[in-house]
Amino acid sequence: MSSPSESPTGPCDQILRTDAARNREKILDAAREVFAEDGLDAPMAEVARRAEVGIATLYRRFPTREDLIAATFAGKMATYADAVEQALADPDPWHGFCTYVERVCGMQAADHGFTDVLTMTFPTAEALEAERSRAYRGFAKVVARAKAAGRLRTDFSDRDLVILLMANAGVINATGDDAPDAWRRLVAYMLQAFAVTTGEPLPPAPKGRDLFNAMVHGQHSHPATHA
């Protein structure tokens, strides 16, 4: 008969599982801090240092940077998708639309890592992309309600949100701690532009496939996300 230390369900095995779970949470906590401060290009070694684990342990838990990003931002992507449900529940369709846009842009401003996550795509991170798709489908309904209420310009496309998030990410990354609220002015300008107007019609919105490719290229422009 195997001794407890040799049994796959013995005390030693339980200790190993507990240590593995503890290390995983320490790594995720550290990754949230590091990515929030420095974005997705932050060195993996810095995540390991703050988690007080070896780099080998980090890679054993998360073999690729994309694995770590997906696990780190799973909760925020769920919140991002849930926010659209709150917008749909707002009795004022225009207020729901504006509040949602402001909230999502605010989530970008609060976390430099999430700023990048919202403007990139991670094809192998299925759970992360499923939440993104849920949010996108919900936002299309938010848009339809605001248009039906006569408050959102008829040529607005749900793809315009992607463009706004890209622009907002650029402002946030450029202004940093020097002008941390600059993004609010951009969003306020854009919400005014989105409202019903008698101005000239907009140029056509980009095709969905073209925007997706831009988001993929956005990931490729961050070489560190492949390390």
Side-chain angles (χ1 to χ4, degrees), residues 12-23:
C12 288
D13 187 66
Q14 180 61 43
I15 291 172
L16 289 174
R17 287 199 302 269
T18 300
D19 286 346
R22 184 182 300 113
N23 283 339

Side-chain angles (χ1 to χ4, degrees), residues 80-93:
Y80 168 60
D82 289 343
V84 83
E85 303 298 333
Q86 297 174 24
L88 288 170
D90 194 314
D92 182 337

Side-chain angles (χ1 to χ4, degrees), residues 35-110:
F35 289 150
E37 294 170 8
D38 302 322
L40 302 186
D41 286 340
M44 296 286 272
E46 176 61 15
V47 175
R49 187 189 69 79
R50 291 206 198 181
E52 298 180 335
V53 300
I55 193 70
T57 297
L58 187 153
Y59 279 114
R60 190 159 53 247
R61 300 275 76 80
F62 303 99
T64 69
R65 181 180 290 262
E66 186 165 310
D67 292 331
L68 179 58
I69 290 170
T72 300
F73 293 103
K76 285 203 171 183
M77 282 300 287
T79 300
Y80 168 60
D82 289 343
V84 83
E85 303 298 333
Q86 297 174 24
L88 288 170
D90 194 314
D92 182 337
W94 177 244
H95 182 265
F97 173 87
C98 292
T99 301
Y100 177 74
V101 171
E102 290 168 345
R103 180 174 180 182
V104 172
C105 290
M107 290 178 70
Q108 283 187 300

